Amino acid sequence: MAEQSKNVKEQDVNQLLKVRREKLAELQANGKDPFQIVKFDVTHHSQEIKDAFEELEGKSVTIAGRMMSKRIMGKASFCNVQDLQGNIQSYVARDSIGVESYQDFKKMDIGDIVGITGEVFKTKTGEISIHASAVTLLSKSLQVLPEKFHGLTNTDLRYRQRYVDLIMNPEVKDTFIKRSKIISSIRKYLDGQGFMEVETPMLVANAGGAAARPFETHFNALDEDFKLRISLELYLKRLIVGGMERVYEIGRVFRNEGLDTRHNPEFTLMELYQAYTDYKGMMDLTENLYRHVAQEVLGTTVITYNGVEMDLGKPFERITMVDAVKKYAGVDFNEIHTLEEARAAAKEHHVEFEERHQKGDILSLFFEEFAEEHLIQPTFVMDHPIEISPLTKKKPENPEYTERFEFFMNGWEMANAYSELNDPIDQRERFKAQEALLAQGDEEANTTDEDFLNALEIGMPPTGGIGFGIDRMVMLLTDSAAIRDVLCFPTMKSMGAAKNEANNAAQSAPVEKTVEKAIAEVKETYDFSNVEVEPLFKDMVDFDTFSKSDFRAVKVKECEAVPKSKKLLKFVLDDGSGVDRVILSGIHDYYEPEFLVGKTLLAITNLPPRKMMGIDSCGMIISATHLVEGREGLNVLILDDKIPAGAKLY
């Protein structure tokens, strides 16, 4: 019965699309092709009219926007037009616009772009409206707008088709308007402080300035490999060497890493550098900048994110990383003097570390494990260990630590700042240490940049520098749950062949059906001729032992990359018990978290908890592995969605 209803609905939608094209053909045949209109003079927007009603009442205005509703009532009708600022009602009467124009108006569809000229008035119910004297069809919508375009089931489609999301969800448009205002406010503040905005290369031979894996590409004209920048730092410092004392750049950077609620492979970073100051000067600048932006854009310095208030008006807390770990983990690294002692403390507190990690790395792991989540109010975490700060000046009184801080709010790192290292000899040694880490398999380690070293040898003044994550700042100031909510067009997994089919199908299917149908029609074939699988086990397992493994169907409620891990994904699962189950699985090389949310997987649920990166993993996600030319392939076992959470496998 449900399938029959679905087919009827599809037929109805297809008929609507056909009618819209027939209407367009009729308009074109009558010399009224809306697509031949090249200009329309708009005098006001909807909110301007409402705000200045007393001044505009009885005066003629012209608006343009998308028709979102229409009520035909014989010789007079109402429609609602949505523009950049909001929406406004228009009263359209046959006697006011003429018989022919009124007939044309009645044939217009929801979603059409229209221009309306008329007098401003207020209806008997008190609604500010426009009494139309002319209605012009400016663009014909050939698709059917969805009745509802939000909620979990449509999240993926919202991000892929942001243009529809903006039309249907006013709060989404408001977020991006605020984003623009935030960036404008940042520029205004920095310009007022004597900073100069500059631009530096995106294609670079050496991607340095941050701990991240770059994207690589090939430049045909020079027959040379290049990387997309992961940071703005090294070029901006070159400008400081050249005598440009205060510089900043707001631009895209690219990091070949995972996707989660706070990470996108391309994001907006702002870095600024100021000669003749240090990291304490950067703290003062950060505090003042955040207050200025919040006050100018939101009208307050008290912001609320996910129900939690954060006060930007109060002095920001300042704490060293050592003191933060002592406060929240109860471990005093002032009393830990050797690598062996640091490793012993890590084992005692179940902090996972790698063989290559030094004492300072382990301190950082303690901070991430125990302290970060508590830093809700604005906090500067100062004096990071030298092992994790390759571009930062050492503290003169304690060279194991550097003049560096990270700015935290809501438990998130919001900015990273240094007293910049300007000693070329020290910098070369730091690069050598990074090269050694690279050789040990750390794909995020920096490589030596000889031209940057040459610039330092020319001479760079004492300098303070900082990098701000603009997207996270926008998330906090707009109360947005995920980074994708503040990126107009976030990075999405390619739909492959479905993309072309979707484009072709767009001529005969509505927005949501186009994508769904295209995905359903993609057919893949697999060549297993060169696949190797592990030999079957010959040792027998008795039935009683095997039956004690509790295999269950689980629904993926949440999935995200584990910070500081290249392989681990953290799953929050519905296992049918009513209590969320957390399982970590090392499959990030094969799957992005977004793909797995909502899927039904297979897991063993009665294994004892196992610490992984300091998180209890309570079970095991089941995958199938194989080899192709010596490289491992992996496929998570994804079950039919009809199987309920908690269903037991026999």
Side-chain angles (χ1 to χ4, degrees):
M1 190 69 183
E3 187 65 30
Q4 184 179 358
S5 175
K6 181 180 175 184
N7 290 337
V8 170
K9 187 176 180 181
E10 284 185 30
Q11 291 171 6
D12 290 344
V13 170
N14 288 332
Q15 180 61 30
L16 289 174
L17 297 175
K18 181 183 176 187
V19 168
R20 290 194 177 209
R21 281 166 172 73
E22 290 172 349
K23 288 180 180 179
L24 175 62
E26 182 181 347
L27 288 167
Q28 291 170 332
N30 294 331
K32 299 178 180 179
D33 187 351
F35 298 126
Q36 291 186 354
I37 297 174
V38 296
K39 183 182 177 184
F40 188 78
D41 292 325
V42 175
T43 64
H44 294 79
H45 283 86
S46 56
Q47 194 60 44
E48 292 172 349
I49 295 170
K50 293 176 181 179
D51 291 342
F53 172 72
E54 292 183 3
E55 177 188 339
L56 293 174
E57 185 178 12
K59 295 182 180 178
S60 179
V61 297
T62 299
I63 65 162
R66 190 177 300 275
M67 188 186 298
M68 299 301 292
S69 66
K70 185 174 71 167
R71 301 194 309 277
I72 303 294
M73 300 181 296
K75 298 178 182 179
S77 302
F78 285 94
C79 70
N80 190 282
V81 176
Q82 177 176 291
D83 61 14
L84 174 67
Q85 295 183 354
N87 59 75
I88 193 165
Q89 179 177 264
S90 180
Y91 173 69
V92 183
R94 186 186 68 179
D95 293 343
S96 299
I97 67 171
V99 175
E100 185 177 346
S101 292
Y102 190 66
Q103 290 300 319
D104 291 341
F105 169 77
K106 291 203 300 184
K107 293 180 181 179
M108 292 179 190
D109 293 305
I110 304 303
D112 286 351
I113 306 292
V114 298
I116 294 179
T117 297
E119 289 186 0
V120 178
F121 79 110
K122 191 177 285 187
T123 65
K124 292 178 181 179
T125 58
E127 184 170 354
I128 296 171
S129 306
I130 299 172
H131 189 149
S133 58
V135 179
T136 306
L137 178 62
L138 301 174
S139 181
K140 184 68 185 168
S141 174
L142 300 179
Q143 279 285 1
V144 177
L145 288 177
E147 294 177 11
K148 198 172 183 182
F149 207 74
H150 56 271
L152 181 62
T153 57
N154 281 323
T155 299
D156 185 76
L157 197 60
R158 280 184 51 218
Y159 295 145
R160 290 187 188 278
Q161 299 184 354
R162 182 68 84 187
Y163 42 92
V164 184
D165 191 20
L166 290 166
I167 293 168
M168 302 307 297
N169 292 323
E171 68 277 8
V172 172
K173 185 185 290 183
D174 182 61
T175 293
F176 289 111
I177 291 172
K178 282 181 180 172
R179 180 188 175 103
S180 178
K181 290 179 178 177
I182 288 166
I183 294 174
S184 176
S185 181
I186 291 170
R187 286 192 165 103
K188 188 184 301 182
Y189 178 81
L190 292 177
D191 293 346
Q193 296 295 312
F195 282 86
M196 180 169 60
E197 185 172 11
V198 298
E199 295 173 309
T200 61
M202 290 190 182
L203 280 177
V204 295
N206 190 335
R213 185 167 54 181
F215 288 92
E216 298 183 1
T217 188
H218 186 77
F219 185 17
N220 292 334
L222 296 180
D223 191 23
E224 187 175 344
D225 289 335
F226 280 81
K227 298 177 176 66
L228 292 177
R229 66 185 180 188
I230 59 173
S231 169
L232 313 174
E233 179 168 349
L234 301 185
Y235 280 99
L236 291 176
K237 285 183 179 177
R238 287 168 166 91
L239 297 178
I240 294 290
V241 170
M244 299 169 73
E245 295 181 0
R246 298 189 182 201
V247 295
Y248 76 95
E249 180 175 8
I250 300 175
R252 287 295 230 208
V253 295
F254 309 86
R255 299 183 181 179
N256 199 351
E257 300 171 339
L259 293 160
D260 60 33
T261 56
R262 283 183 283 159
H263 294 87
N264 195 70
E266 60 171 311
F267 61 96
T268 302
L269 181 66
M270 182 186 76
E271 291 197 33
L272 63 86
Y273 293 85
Q274 179 179 342
Y276 311 115
T277 191
D278 62 359
Y279 75 141
K280 292 179 181 176
M282 293 295 102
M283 288 187 215
D284 295 338
L285 183 147
T286 301
E287 203 162 332
N288 293 330
L289 173 64
Y290 261 76
R291 283 196 192 112
H292 169 84
V293 172
Q295 187 65 52
E296 184 169 81
V297 176
L298 305 179
T300 178
T301 56
V302 178
I303 66 171
T304 302
Y305 184 82
N306 196 26
V308 178
E309 275 195 0
M310 285 163 268
D311 192 348
L312 295 165
K314 295 179 180 178
F316 294 5
E317 183 183 357
R318 302 186 181 194
I319 188 172
T320 67
M321 183 176 284
V322 169
D323 286 344
V325 169
K326 183 178 178 180
K327 179 177 180 179
Y328 295 109
V331 177
D332 188 354
F333 266 75
N334 287 322
E335 303 300 322
I336 294 176
H337 304 290
T338 66
L339 175 58
E340 288 69 28
E341 291 173 350
R343 287 176 171 173
K347 290 175 182 176
E348 181 183 349
H349 290 80
H350 306 292
V351 174
E352 298 282 339
F353 62 89
E354 299 176 22
E355 188 65 29
R356 62 183 173 84
H357 284 150
Q358 300 299 308
K359 175 189 165 188
D361 296 301
I362 294 173
L363 169 61
S364 178
L365 292 172
F366 264 91
F367 172 75
E368 292 165 4
E369 179 69 28
F370 294 103
E372 277 191 6
E373 64 182 313
H374 298 287
L375 306 179
I376 304 302
Q377 297 302 318
T379 305
F380 295 118
V381 178
M382 309 179 295
D383 303 350
H384 294 216
I386 192 169
E387 291 90 342
I388 62 169
S389 310
L391 298 165
T392 316
K393 274 192 174 180
K394 299 174 186 175
K395 292 186 71 63
E397 68 276 16
N398 190 350
E400 288 187 4
Y401 296 92
T402 60
E403 294 202 339
R404 172 186 177 187
F405 74 79
E406 289 178 331
F407 173 48
F408 281 86
M409 286 180 66
N410 193 50
W412 302 348
E413 178 197 335
M414 304 298 294
N416 186 19
Y418 309 153
S419 294
E420 300 298 335
L421 180 61
N422 61 344
D423 179 347
I425 297 171
D426 189 357
Q427 181 64 79
R428 184 174 290 279
E429 293 304 311
R430 307 276 191 99
F431 275 142
K432 283 183 181 177
Q434 289 286 300
E435 295 274 11
L437 291 175
L438 193 65
Q440 294 174 36
D442 185 352
E443 295 177 330
E444 296 183 348
N446 284 196
T447 55
T448 302
D449 188 328
E450 290 293 345
D451 183 71
F452 176 65
L453 288 171
N454 183 65
L456 290 188
E457 289 178 358
I458 295 292
M460 185 175 87
T463 299
I466 188 166
F468 291 87
I470 296 295
D471 305 309
R472 290 188 187 179
M473 185 182 192
V474 175
M475 286 174 67
L476 280 185
L477 294 182
T478 60
D479 197 9
S480 297
I483 192 171
R484 292 182 169 194
D485 296 325
V486 300
L487 297 173
C488 286
F489 301 101
T491 303
M492 304 290 289
K493 188 175 180 67
S494 171
M495 294 171 67
K499 289 188 295 184
N500 290 332
E501 295 217 30
N503 289 336
N504 295 334
Q507 300 302 313
S508 58
V511 173
E512 293 179 72
K513 291 307 302 176
T514 295
V515 178
E516 293 173 3
K517 184 178 179 183
I519 293 173
E521 291 181 355
V522 174
K523 295 180 175 63
E524 297 184 74
T525 58
Y526 301 96
D527 177 12
F528 295 123
S529 62
N530 61 345
V531 169
E532 301 173 47
V533 296
E534 188 175 320
L536 300 181
F537 288 115
K538 293 184 178 179
D539 295 339
M540 295 293 184
V541 179
D542 65 85
F543 183 82
D544 287 341
T545 299
F546 171 75
S547 64
K548 291 176 183 176
S549 295
D550 196 18
F551 289 85
R552 298 279 178 162
V554 292
K555 304 282 187 181
V556 181
K557 297 175 68 175
E558 300 173 25
C559 184
E560 63 181 7
V562 175
K564 304 298 180 182
S565 172
K566 299 184 181 69
K567 294 184 177 180
L568 288 176
L569 293 180
K570 176 185 173 184
F571 292 85
V572 177
L573 303 164
D574 175 5
D575 62 7
S577 68
V579 178
D580 288 348
R581 176 178 295 274
V582 173
I583 296 180
L584 275 65
S585 183
I587 61 173
H588 200 177
D589 285 343
Y590 306 94
Y591 292 91
E592 292 300 336
E594 56 163 2
F595 174 77
L596 295 168
V597 174
K599 297 290 192 294
T600 303
L601 307 183
L602 178 61
I604 300 178
T605 56
N606 63 335
L607 295 174
R610 178 187 175 199
K611 284 278 186 186
M612 302 173 73
M613 296 296 286
I615 302 170
D616 278 338
S617 179
C618 302
M620 179 183 291
I621 301 291
I622 304 300
S623 303
T625 64
H626 60 274
L627 293 176
V628 181
E629 298 177 354
R631 297 185 62 182
E632 184 181 67
L634 179 143
N635 294 90
V636 169
L637 299 190
I638 300 177
L639 307 179
D640 193 313
D641 284 341
K642 295 175 184 175
I643 300 175
K648 184 176 176 64
L649 272 72
Y650 288 94

